[in-house]
Amino acid sequence: LEEITPKPVQDAGNILKQGYLEKRSREHSFFGSEWQKRWCVLNRRTFYYYANEKSKQPKGNFSIENYSARLASHLRKDSRKRCCFELTCPGKRTYEFTAPSQAEAEDWVDQIQFLLKDLSSFTIPLDEEDEEEPYNDVDSSDSVNTTSHNTTLNQDEPNVEMGEDEDDIYEVLPGKQPKPE
């Protein structure tokens, strides 16, 4: 596992989503609050959480790779249960959050799922018209060989005369007249 160096909020780089969430603490203290308000920042690979948005050092962070995100109304019994979501990964800690609204919770989950899909994809997305023809080294070299083979064949054929208009393949720019021959 690679170590993630803590960064101030402003330097988290490529921030895709940020905002206040309540994070369930790992230790369920009798005296302390079970849910703590945290400034959360999501970038392309890492989820950071800070004491507040002015904090220089994160309270914690984790790579979202291999995690999955989903809404989790079972985390709370109160009126905010529809605002909950969790990040889970087999063999790793589960992170539980409450967003300010159900729509915000859904947006966090959508953003994280989008990133996870992107991280798990090893191919570069193609334009729609290119999707049917994936790049293939073997096919490419074959088509190059075929092309050069055809060119060789064509050189053996007698040249077809084009007539007088043969030189008119160049565009005449305004203000410049072609030189008479």
Side-chain angles (χ1 to χ4, degrees):
L1 294 172
E2 61 184 58
E3 234 359 83
I4 299 170
T5 356
K7 299 177 182 177
V9 175
Q10 299 80 3
D11 299 338
N14 294 327
I15 293 172
L16 299 175
K17 184 149 183 70
Q18 60 186 348
Y20 278 106
L21 296 172
E22 288 181 28
K23 184 184 138 311
R24 182 178 258 172
S25 61
R26 202 185 327 207
E27 303 84 29
H28 299 268
S29 164
F30 179 75
F31 299 106
S33 168
E34 187 180 10
W35 293 92
Q36 298 155 335
K37 190 174 181 180
R38 295 285 180 246
W39 179 256
C40 298
V41 176
L42 176 66
N43 76 9
R44 291 204 167 284
R45 295 184 169 269
T46 311
F47 193 106
Y48 297 90
Y49 50 96
Y50 299 82
N52 59 54
E53 63 184 297
K54 296 190 177 23
S55 297
K56 296 280 186 231
Q57 293 291 357
K59 287 249 176 219
N61 61 63
F62 59 96
S63 169
I64 63 162
E65 201 164 0
N66 300 319
Y67 268 82
S68 61
R70 65 175 188 196
L71 295 172
S73 58
H74 67 277
L75 296 178
R76 292 178 83 133
K77 305 284 183 248
D78 62 10
S79 61
R80 301 194 54 212
K81 67 182 185 177
R82 296 198 179 279
C83 305
C84 297
F85 67 96
E86 64 184 359
L87 300 173
T88 58
C89 180
K92 292 188 178 179
R93 177 181 172 191
T94 295
Y95 291 89
E96 301 168 333
F97 297 97
T98 303
S101 68
Q102 183 177 348
E104 268 296 295
E106 289 168 2
D107 192 42
W108 277 96
V109 168
D110 288 348
Q111 287 287 335
I112 294 165
Q113 284 176 341
F114 176 78
L115 271 180
L116 292 168
K117 185 178 171 192
D118 200 35
L119 284 173
S120 68
S121 161
F122 294 106
T123 56
I124 299 169
L126 300 169
D127 291 338
E128 285 180 27
E129 64 267 9
D130 295 339
E131 279 183 26
E132 293 172 19
E133 298 178 32
Y135 176 78
N136 183 334
D137 279 348
V138 177
D139 290 350
S140 300
S141 62
D142 284 353
S143 64
V144 168
N145 290 342
T146 306
T147 306
S148 60
H149 183 69
N150 288 345
T151 306
T152 308
L153 286 178
N154 290 342
Q155 288 174 346
D156 294 340
E157 294 175 8
N159 285 338
V160 178
E161 292 297 320
M162 292 180 74
E164 292 177 32
D165 297 331
E166 184 174 4
D167 292 335
D168 288 346
I169 60 170
Y170 299 103
E171 180 181 349
V172 177
L173 297 174
K176 295 194 176 189
Q177 297 299 318
K179 294 177 187 172
E181 293 185 25

